[in-house]
Amino acid sequence: HVTVIPKWQKRSLSSMEDLDKAVDISQIENAARIVLSPPNAASKEERKEAELLFLQLRQRRNPYHLCRLMLEGSSVEYVQYEAVTIMREAVITEWNALPKVLPEELKEYLIQHLKDHYDSMASYVGREMIHLVAIIIKRLLLVDRKALSHALLMIQKLIKDGFQALGSAMMTAVVKEFGCTTGRSEKGLSLEFLVDCKKTIEASEMISAFTLALELLEEFILYSPNQLAQNSKLFKLLVEFAVQILTWDFTHRLSAMKGFQHYELYVTPLRPPATWKFVLLDSKVIAIMFKLTVLVRGDAPLLHSCLQCLSQLASLIGPVLSSPEAKQKYLHSFGHELAAYLELPNLTNTELCGIAAVTRRLLDTFPLSHIIQIEVNLLSKLLRLLSQLTVSACKKSTQDSDEEVQAEIQETLDSVLGVWIRLVSDPSFLASPWIPSLVTEIVEAYIKSKLGVPEGWRTHCNEQEVHLSIADGSDLDVYSDQLLAVASMVHCDPQPALFFLVTMFNPKVLHLAQYCSMVQSGASCREVAISELYEDIHWLVLFSGHVLASVCEGESPLIPQPLMKLSISTKSQNYSSEDILKFIKFEVPGFLDDATSYYHLMSTLDPVVTLVVRVLQVSHLFAMMSAAGLAELCSPQVAEILAWFHIHWTRTYLNMKEDDYEQVSITLCGAFGAQSPGADALTLYLLERASSDLCNWASEEKVFINTCKFLSQLLKSNSRSTTIQQSQPFWQLLHYYINCTGFVSSMSSECQRHFIEMLVLGAGASDANAFCDTLVQGVVGQLASLLKTDSNPQEAGVQRMLVFHLESLCGLAKYIKPSQATSLFVQLSPLLESLVSLFKVYVGHGNVIILLLELFNLVAKCILPHVSKEHTSAIFELCLAVLRNYSNYNVNKYKEGVLAEEEQCDDLIVCFELLENLTTKDFFDFSSPPDAVYRLTGEVVFCGLGVILNVMTDHLLEYPVVNSKFYNLLSFLCESYVDIVVQLEQTYFITLCNLLESGITRQNTDIAMQCLDCLGTLSRYSLREEEQKRKPHVIRALQHFLRVH
């Protein structure tokens, strides 16, 4: 190859020409082939030599002539790529040493090379070369303020001269480079210059570039499919450039001052400066992007990019829309194009998902007050189309399809339901005459999408999903947002939705009652049909629970106001709790014999009450089947969701408080109020159902736990807890537990924790009662008897019973009422003293050790703040004995196993919490009267910290949780008890300082700050006290950190 060397090459590289000519291009090509070859095609030595050659080339100074030779003299793509990479690194690192004319001439050379070879060179080589041109243009701005303008004029000329693909790619690269403020290519540039570059291109040049791109994209709208295929490369580049501009994070005064570290939204909104007004407010921009989206419907990547552009246009905010008129005009243009797109036939799942996200973005950006002001016909048309989109998504969700398609459909539903939630949240919007009918249509469509034929649209029931859903918790968890959205829509106009739910429920309850009657008589039924029935009932109970009660935590549960108003306005016959109980038990005649008359009788009930009765009737039928010994024919999935319904319904409706409402329904008060005749009977009926479920569903953990939570919810009301505590079924549960008989003997630890919580809540119904005494004495007595037996403590049966009773004690300590804390500790005290010695007996048994530590930790946390000074001293002594025994017998003595280290870490975390809880007596003392226990606490800190320091090692600090907990504890103790910490023995204090040093030098910033605060506290105290002279080891240890010798 013979090429004329440019003058800048001769001038700047004359000293390097001979050396560059000596380089053999064929040798470089051979090295490239070796680097890219498979592992077995070249030896390690050959590969090492080839890599070393390229490394040496990258380390050369002034490599531009050599890179020119590599670009022009080699046809190997990797060699060309390396040439551009070497040139780029040299430009970045040697910029300040380059001659003034060299960058400009290098830019011209690269552009000419691209013009000559862009269509034939590898895409990644061309991309790197264009990036290098963009880097040079950005750095030329340091010496020439017009460099950017000249570059964009040059790009426009390229496009006009026929190099449209090259010009578009270069335009994209320049804009991207000027918008970047961090990265390898910014080496040697100040933050002020980078900010200035970004602001410079935003001011005017980016507008002209975007306008040019729109003009080119507009031409594609008229192309035939063949023309579009021939120019696909250019089209993709232009769409990519449009996405880059519309997703641009424009610089504002505050963000520039903070170096672009402003608050980042999930998706950056489009917020250009006012200079963009004449471009973006032109309705042609929105029209072009929608037409391009239609044009690329068959190309998934391009469709995604176009939808992303539309989403950004939907998020337009800032000074561009400074006036209400501008917002209204923009919304009208967007709404018109959106309606036209929604009218397209056969929208794909991807299109539905994308356009739903665009619509939601529009609603999240613009206030509803502006949305409502859209022209009436256009707004009604949009809402009708959105309703059709929602119904279509509901129908598509019932079809058999792969996971990816279903994920798209569910995302579509999430977005479009979010749109409707936003719309119906405005009362003025609900006043529109067409809204209630559309909302009702959507609610019915969503419910039908979950129900089987003939009532619904679901044509299949995956039995595997039905059986596994209880393990996954998928329906309640995955669909929670959708269910809440649908419930909120129901509350906009509850009457038709409740009527529809009851209508769907009626045949299901009848079918289940017939099935119950058949199986009791020994007849057989089709398994598939029953699975379909259970799936339908499962979804109907889910809908009912979300509609009837607000599924929320941390707030006082109230009946939703729309349901209360509906009940007040409905003319229905008032029934007492006793009458409602008859409906639930099917004691009203005619249900199976004359369903029509029975439904007519049910219609006299309030619609809210009717829906509640339907759900409780399902629960009663399950109880009947269980009582007949047919529990295995019931669905665990339905049983779990029924228990969930009972929890939320009980919190809101049962024994409802009239004073919590401005207006209250007499019907609801009569049916579920505390003063209603038969209220106690309804409570006891629910208790019997729950007790029966505990016995029948002990093997289904989630059903059992939900049932325990339901009973706990029943017991949280004082009026209900007194009634329940005196009932025979509740005492029967207590006897099962104390004697460890029946279902109690086989339940898991997780189930036991919820069961004991429920029993302790029942024991707290009054301060002095037989139930509480029986529970505590039974648990204490059983464990005391176990400890006195001559059985081998290492036997599996003995260990299992020990773990069971320790779980019981943990539950007692955790959930006991504060007023009963002292009496509980008095009864537990002798037993706790005996338990301290078990650390020596069960060395290496992690399951027992962790429970022992947890028990004493709960005593310190829940009982210590409520006991007197005398009992405080006893608790301190017990807990310190526990820490010593744990340190002596169990540290680093676990059996070998995969989880051994994790068990050790769990133990240490509980030890940290124990010591911290012991010290909180000084801050949270609820004993009457409060005692001054600082001296006792100081002794605890002194002894406990010594035990902890004796345990800690660098290896344990490698675990993040242990690390964080330990340094939090250390920081707390140094801050609160510095006078005690400095009295540690010399060995322990040096260990403490070593751990602080490790925290400063080896840990993250937060821990390092905590350690420095600890050192500051220790230093200030030591220098302030005269006793420092009598403790020289403290000063020596602290001086180490100052390197004072």
Side-chain angles (χ1 to χ4, degrees), residues 90-112:
V91 167
I92 294 172
T93 56
E94 301 176 2
W95 180 263
N96 293 329
L98 294 177
K100 292 183 179 180
V101 296
L102 191 147
E104 184 67 35
E105 294 180 356
L106 177 59
K107 182 191 73 173
E108 293 175 1
Y109 170 78
L110 291 172
I111 292 173
Q112 185 60 45

PDB file of all heavy atoms in Angstrom, residues 90-112:
ATOM      1  N   ALA A  90      -4.140   7.123  23.173  1.00  0.00           N
ATOM      2  CA  ALA A  90      -3.066   8.106  23.033  1.00  0.00           C
ATOM      3  C   ALA A  90      -3.623   9.525  23.031  1.00  0.00           C
ATOM      4  O   ALA A  90      -3.046  10.439  23.645  1.00  0.00           O
ATOM      5  CB  ALA A  90      -2.282   7.840  21.744  1.00  0.00           C
ATOM      6  N   VAL A  91      -4.745   9.734  22.349  1.00  0.00           N
ATOM      7  CA  VAL A  91      -5.348  11.067  22.321  1.00  0.00           C
ATOM      8  C   VAL A  91      -5.754  11.509  23.725  1.00  0.00           C
ATOM      9  O   VAL A  91      -5.535  12.663  24.121  1.00  0.00           O
ATOM     10  CB  VAL A  91      -6.570  11.065  21.370  1.00  0.00           C
ATOM     11  CG1 VAL A  91      -7.408  12.334  21.564  1.00  0.00           C
ATOM     12  CG2 VAL A  91      -6.117  10.974  19.934  1.00  0.00           C
ATOM     13  N   ILE A  92      -6.300  10.592  24.507  1.00  0.00           N
ATOM     14  CA  ILE A  92      -6.756  10.943  25.864  1.00  0.00           C
ATOM     15  C   ILE A  92      -5.576  11.240  26.777  1.00  0.00           C
ATOM     16  O   ILE A  92      -5.579  12.229  27.514  1.00  0.00           O
ATOM     17  CB  ILE A  92      -7.626   9.802  26.427  1.00  0.00           C
ATOM     18  CG1 ILE A  92      -8.927   9.674  25.629  1.00  0.00           C
ATOM     19  CG2 ILE A  92      -7.944  10.038  27.900  1.00  0.00           C
ATOM     20  CD1 ILE A  92      -9.759   8.463  25.993  1.00  0.00           C
ATOM     21  N   THR A  93      -4.559  10.407  26.738  1.00  0.00           N
ATOM     22  CA  THR A  93      -3.442  10.559  27.685  1.00  0.00           C
ATOM     23  C   THR A  93      -2.432  11.617  27.259  1.00  0.00           C
ATOM     24  O   THR A  93      -1.788  12.238  28.104  1.00  0.00           O
ATOM     25  CB  THR A  93      -2.727   9.213  27.865  1.00  0.00           C
ATOM     26  OG1 THR A  93      -2.298   8.729  26.577  1.00  0.00           O
ATOM     27  CG2 THR A  93      -3.653   8.192  28.506  1.00  0.00           C
ATOM     28  N   GLU A  94      -2.265  11.844  25.937  1.00  0.00           N
ATOM     29  CA  GLU A  94      -1.243  12.771  25.446  1.00  0.00           C
ATOM     30  C   GLU A  94      -1.830  14.071  24.920  1.00  0.00           C
ATOM     31  O   GLU A  94      -1.161  14.820  24.206  1.00  0.00           O
ATOM     32  CB  GLU A  94      -0.431  12.090  24.336  1.00  0.00           C
ATOM     33  CG  GLU A  94       0.264  10.809  24.762  1.00  0.00           C
ATOM     34  CD  GLU A  94       0.972  10.124  23.600  1.00  0.00           C
ATOM     35  OE1 GLU A  94       0.930  10.690  22.475  1.00  0.00           O
ATOM     36  OE2 GLU A  94       1.538   9.042  23.801  1.00  0.00           O
ATOM     37  N   TRP A  95      -3.092  14.370  25.253  1.00  0.00           N
ATOM     38  CA  TRP A  95      -3.759  15.527  24.655  1.00  0.00           C
ATOM     39  C   TRP A  95      -2.982  16.833  24.863  1.00  0.00           C
ATOM     40  O   TRP A  95      -2.801  17.621  23.940  1.00  0.00           O
ATOM     41  CB  TRP A  95      -5.175  15.650  25.209  1.00  0.00           C
ATOM     42  CG  TRP A  95      -5.913  16.817  24.643  1.00  0.00           C
ATOM     43  CD1 TRP A  95      -6.069  18.049  25.171  1.00  0.00           C
ATOM     44  CD2 TRP A  95      -6.580  16.845  23.374  1.00  0.00           C
ATOM     45  NE1 TRP A  95      -6.791  18.857  24.346  1.00  0.00           N
ATOM     46  CE2 TRP A  95      -7.128  18.144  23.220  1.00  0.00           C
ATOM     47  CE3 TRP A  95      -6.767  15.910  22.356  1.00  0.00           C
ATOM     48  CZ2 TRP A  95      -7.849  18.520  22.096  1.00  0.00           C
ATOM     49  CZ3 TRP A  95      -7.493  16.287  21.243  1.00  0.00           C
ATOM     50  CH2 TRP A  95      -8.021  17.577  21.106  1.00  0.00           C
ATOM     51  N   ASN A  96      -2.546  17.078  26.065  1.00  0.00           N
ATOM     52  CA  ASN A  96      -1.877  18.351  26.366  1.00  0.00           C
ATOM     53  C   ASN A  96      -0.533  18.480  25.654  1.00  0.00           C
ATOM     54  O   ASN A  96      -0.026  19.600  25.494  1.00  0.00           O
ATOM     55  CB  ASN A  96      -1.677  18.493  27.872  1.00  0.00           C
ATOM     56  CG  ASN A  96      -2.994  18.627  28.609  1.00  0.00           C
ATOM     57  OD1 ASN A  96      -3.963  19.163  28.068  1.00  0.00           O
ATOM     58  ND2 ASN A  96      -3.052  18.128  29.838  1.00  0.00           N
ATOM     59  N   ALA A  97       0.062  17.359  25.240  1.00  0.00           N
ATOM     60  CA  ALA A  97       1.369  17.408  24.586  1.00  0.00           C
ATOM     61  C   ALA A  97       1.274  17.411  23.069  1.00  0.00           C
ATOM     62  O   ALA A  97       2.286  17.525  22.388  1.00  0.00           O
ATOM     63  CB  ALA A  97       2.214  16.215  25.045  1.00  0.00           C
ATOM     64  N   LEU A  98       0.066  17.291  22.516  1.00  0.00           N
ATOM     65  CA  LEU A  98      -0.084  17.236  21.069  1.00  0.00           C
ATOM     66  C   LEU A  98       0.090  18.622  20.448  1.00  0.00           C
ATOM     67  O   LEU A  98      -0.331  19.631  21.033  1.00  0.00           O
ATOM     68  CB  LEU A  98      -1.476  16.696  20.700  1.00  0.00           C
ATOM     69  CG  LEU A  98      -1.777  15.238  21.065  1.00  0.00           C
ATOM     70  CD1 LEU A  98      -3.204  14.893  20.692  1.00  0.00           C
ATOM     71  CD2 LEU A  98      -0.812  14.289  20.386  1.00  0.00           C
ATOM     72  N   PRO A  99       0.658  18.704  19.256  1.00  0.00           N
ATOM     73  CA  PRO A  99       0.705  19.978  18.529  1.00  0.00           C
ATOM     74  C   PRO A  99      -0.702  20.493  18.270  1.00  0.00           C
ATOM     75  O   PRO A  99      -1.658  19.727  18.155  1.00  0.00           O
ATOM     76  CB  PRO A  99       1.425  19.623  17.227  1.00  0.00           C
ATOM     77  CG  PRO A  99       2.177  18.372  17.534  1.00  0.00           C
ATOM     78  CD  PRO A  99       1.375  17.630  18.543  1.00  0.00           C
ATOM     79  N   LYS A 100      -0.888  21.802  18.156  1.00  0.00           N
ATOM     80  CA  LYS A 100      -2.205  22.402  18.048  1.00  0.00           C
ATOM     81  C   LYS A 100      -2.967  21.914  16.818  1.00  0.00           C
ATOM     82  O   LYS A 100      -4.191  21.749  16.854  1.00  0.00           O
ATOM     83  CB  LYS A 100      -2.085  23.917  18.024  1.00  0.00           C
ATOM     84  CG  LYS A 100      -1.618  24.501  19.355  1.00  0.00           C
ATOM     85  CD  LYS A 100      -1.596  26.027  19.306  1.00  0.00           C
ATOM     86  CE  LYS A 100      -1.155  26.593  20.654  1.00  0.00           C
ATOM     87  NZ  LYS A 100      -1.113  28.071  20.640  1.00  0.00           N
ATOM     88  N   VAL A 101      -2.234  21.718  15.706  1.00  0.00           N
ATOM     89  CA  VAL A 101      -2.933  21.353  14.472  1.00  0.00           C
ATOM     90  C   VAL A 101      -3.206  19.863  14.374  1.00  0.00           C
ATOM     91  O   VAL A 101      -3.998  19.424  13.536  1.00  0.00           O
ATOM     92  CB  VAL A 101      -2.113  21.808  13.249  1.00  0.00           C
ATOM     93  CG1 VAL A 101      -2.003  23.326  13.216  1.00  0.00           C
ATOM     94  CG2 VAL A 101      -0.734  21.163  13.256  1.00  0.00           C
ATOM     95  N   LEU A 102      -2.530  19.070  15.183  1.00  0.00           N
ATOM     96  CA  LEU A 102      -2.644  17.622  15.046  1.00  0.00           C
ATOM     97  C   LEU A 102      -4.062  17.098  15.299  1.00  0.00           C
ATOM     98  O   LEU A 102      -4.564  16.285  14.514  1.00  0.00           O
ATOM     99  CB  LEU A 102      -1.642  16.934  15.971  1.00  0.00           C
ATOM    100  CG  LEU A 102      -1.443  15.426  15.759  1.00  0.00           C
ATOM    101  CD1 LEU A 102      -0.017  15.034  16.071  1.00  0.00           C
ATOM    102  CD2 LEU A 102      -2.397  14.612  16.606  1.00  0.00           C
ATOM    103  N   PRO A 103      -4.782  17.511  16.369  1.00  0.00           N
ATOM    104  CA  PRO A 103      -6.132  16.972  16.599  1.00  0.00           C
ATOM    105  C   PRO A 103      -7.085  17.244  15.443  1.00  0.00           C
ATOM    106  O   PRO A 103      -7.853  16.365  15.039  1.00  0.00           O
ATOM    107  CB  PRO A 103      -6.581  17.691  17.873  1.00  0.00           C
ATOM    108  CG  PRO A 103      -5.324  18.054  18.568  1.00  0.00           C
ATOM    109  CD  PRO A 103      -4.354  18.384  17.484  1.00  0.00           C
ATOM    110  N   GLU A 104      -7.032  18.464  14.889  1.00  0.00           N
ATOM    111  CA  GLU A 104      -7.930  18.792  13.788  1.00  0.00           C
ATOM    112  C   GLU A 104      -7.624  17.935  12.562  1.00  0.00           C
ATOM    113  O   GLU A 104      -8.544  17.412  11.897  1.00  0.00           O
ATOM    114  CB  GLU A 104      -7.792  20.274  13.454  1.00  0.00           C
ATOM    115  CG  GLU A 104      -8.751  20.755  12.385  1.00  0.00           C
ATOM    116  CD  GLU A 104     -10.202  20.711  12.851  1.00  0.00           C
ATOM    117  OE1 GLU A 104     -10.469  20.966  14.048  1.00  0.00           O
ATOM    118  OE2 GLU A 104     -11.072  20.381  12.015  1.00  0.00           O
ATOM    119  N   GLU A 105      -6.331  17.785  12.244  1.00  0.00           N
ATOM    120  CA  GLU A 105      -5.961  16.975  11.086  1.00  0.00           C
ATOM    121  C   GLU A 105      -6.259  15.492  11.315  1.00  0.00           C
ATOM    122  O   GLU A 105      -6.645  14.772  10.393  1.00  0.00           O
ATOM    123  CB  GLU A 105      -4.487  17.189  10.763  1.00  0.00           C
ATOM    124  CG  GLU A 105      -4.181  18.601  10.286  1.00  0.00           C
ATOM    125  CD  GLU A 105      -2.713  18.783   9.969  1.00  0.00           C
ATOM    126  OE1 GLU A 105      -1.941  17.827  10.203  1.00  0.00           O
ATOM    127  OE2 GLU A 105      -2.330  19.860   9.490  1.00  0.00           O
ATOM    128  N   LEU A 106      -6.093  15.037  12.554  1.00  0.00           N
ATOM    129  CA  LEU A 106      -6.438  13.648  12.868  1.00  0.00           C
ATOM    130  C   LEU A 106      -7.938  13.421  12.701  1.00  0.00           C
ATOM    131  O   LEU A 106      -8.373  12.391  12.164  1.00  0.00           O
ATOM    132  CB  LEU A 106      -6.009  13.323  14.300  1.00  0.00           C
ATOM    133  CG  LEU A 106      -6.353  11.929  14.823  1.00  0.00           C
ATOM    134  CD1 LEU A 106      -5.728  10.856  13.949  1.00  0.00           C
ATOM    135  CD2 LEU A 106      -5.901  11.774  16.269  1.00  0.00           C
ATOM    136  N   LYS A 107      -8.732  14.377  13.127  1.00  0.00           N
ATOM    137  CA  LYS A 107     -10.187  14.274  12.958  1.00  0.00           C
ATOM    138  C   LYS A 107     -10.555  14.197  11.473  1.00  0.00           C
ATOM    139  O   LYS A 107     -11.378  13.351  11.065  1.00  0.00           O
ATOM    140  CB  LYS A 107     -10.854  15.488  13.607  1.00  0.00           C
ATOM    141  CG  LYS A 107     -12.385  15.467  13.531  1.00  0.00           C
ATOM    142  CD  LYS A 107     -12.984  16.793  13.946  1.00  0.00           C
ATOM    143  CE  LYS A 107     -12.740  17.811  12.839  1.00  0.00           C
ATOM    144  NZ  LYS A 107     -13.453  19.094  13.090  1.00  0.00           N
ATOM    145  N   GLU A 108      -9.930  15.070  10.655  1.00  0.00           N
ATOM    146  CA  GLU A 108     -10.226  15.066   9.228  1.00  0.00           C
ATOM    147  C   GLU A 108      -9.809  13.750   8.579  1.00  0.00           C
ATOM    148  O   GLU A 108     -10.516  13.205   7.714  1.00  0.00           O
ATOM    149  CB  GLU A 108      -9.518  16.242   8.557  1.00  0.00           C
ATOM    150  CG  GLU A 108     -10.063  17.603   8.989  1.00  0.00           C
ATOM    151  CD  GLU A 108      -9.248  18.737   8.393  1.00  0.00           C
ATOM    152  OE1 GLU A 108      -8.296  18.441   7.645  1.00  0.00           O
ATOM    153  OE2 GLU A 108      -9.557  19.903   8.680  1.00  0.00           O
ATOM    154  N   TYR A 109      -8.674  13.225   9.005  1.00  0.00           N
ATOM    155  CA  TYR A 109      -8.216  11.947   8.457  1.00  0.00           C
ATOM    156  C   TYR A 109      -9.199  10.827   8.782  1.00  0.00           C
ATOM    157  O   TYR A 109      -9.549  10.007   7.919  1.00  0.00           O
ATOM    158  CB  TYR A 109      -6.827  11.621   8.992  1.00  0.00           C
ATOM    159  CG  TYR A 109      -6.385  10.213   8.679  1.00  0.00           C
ATOM    160  CD1 TYR A 109      -5.919   9.873   7.407  1.00  0.00           C
ATOM    161  CD2 TYR A 109      -6.443   9.209   9.656  1.00  0.00           C
ATOM    162  CE1 TYR A 109      -5.530   8.585   7.113  1.00  0.00           C
ATOM    163  CE2 TYR A 109      -6.056   7.920   9.370  1.00  0.00           C
ATOM    164  CZ  TYR A 109      -5.595   7.610   8.092  1.00  0.00           C
ATOM    165  OH  TYR A 109      -5.214   6.332   7.801  1.00  0.00           O
ATOM    166  N   LEU A 110      -9.657  10.773  10.031  1.00  0.00           N
ATOM    167  CA  LEU A 110     -10.578   9.710  10.440  1.00  0.00           C
ATOM    168  C   LEU A 110     -11.912   9.825   9.709  1.00  0.00           C
ATOM    169  O   LEU A 110     -12.499   8.808   9.292  1.00  0.00           O
ATOM    170  CB  LEU A 110     -10.794   9.782  11.956  1.00  0.00           C
ATOM    171  CG  LEU A 110      -9.594   9.402  12.819  1.00  0.00           C
ATOM    172  CD1 LEU A 110      -9.874   9.715  14.291  1.00  0.00           C
ATOM    173  CD2 LEU A 110      -9.255   7.923  12.670  1.00  0.00           C
ATOM    174  N   ILE A 111     -12.393  11.053   9.538  1.00  0.00           N
ATOM    175  CA  ILE A 111     -13.661  11.234   8.833  1.00  0.00           C
ATOM    176  C   ILE A 111     -13.528  10.792   7.373  1.00  0.00           C
ATOM    177  O   ILE A 111     -14.426  10.131   6.818  1.00  0.00           O
ATOM    178  CB  ILE A 111     -14.113  12.708   8.930  1.00  0.00           C
ATOM    179  CG1 ILE A 111     -14.495  13.036  10.383  1.00  0.00           C
ATOM    180  CG2 ILE A 111     -15.294  12.972   8.005  1.00  0.00           C
ATOM    181  CD1 ILE A 111     -14.801  14.493  10.618  1.00  0.00           C
ATOM    182  N   GLN A 112     -12.411  11.150   6.749  1.00  0.00           N
ATOM    183  CA  GLN A 112     -12.209  10.740   5.364  1.00  0.00           C
ATOM    184  C   GLN A 112     -12.121   9.219   5.259  1.00  0.00           C
ATOM    185  O   GLN A 112     -12.678   8.609   4.340  1.00  0.00           O
ATOM    186  CB  GLN A 112     -10.933  11.387   4.817  1.00  0.00           C
ATOM    187  CG  GLN A 112     -10.682  11.114   3.343  1.00  0.00           C
ATOM    188  CD  GLN A 112     -11.807  11.624   2.455  1.00  0.00           C
ATOM    189  OE1 GLN A 112     -12.287  12.758   2.631  1.00  0.00           O
ATOM    190  NE2 GLN A 112     -12.269  10.783   1.529  1.00  0.00           N
TER     191      GLN A 112
END
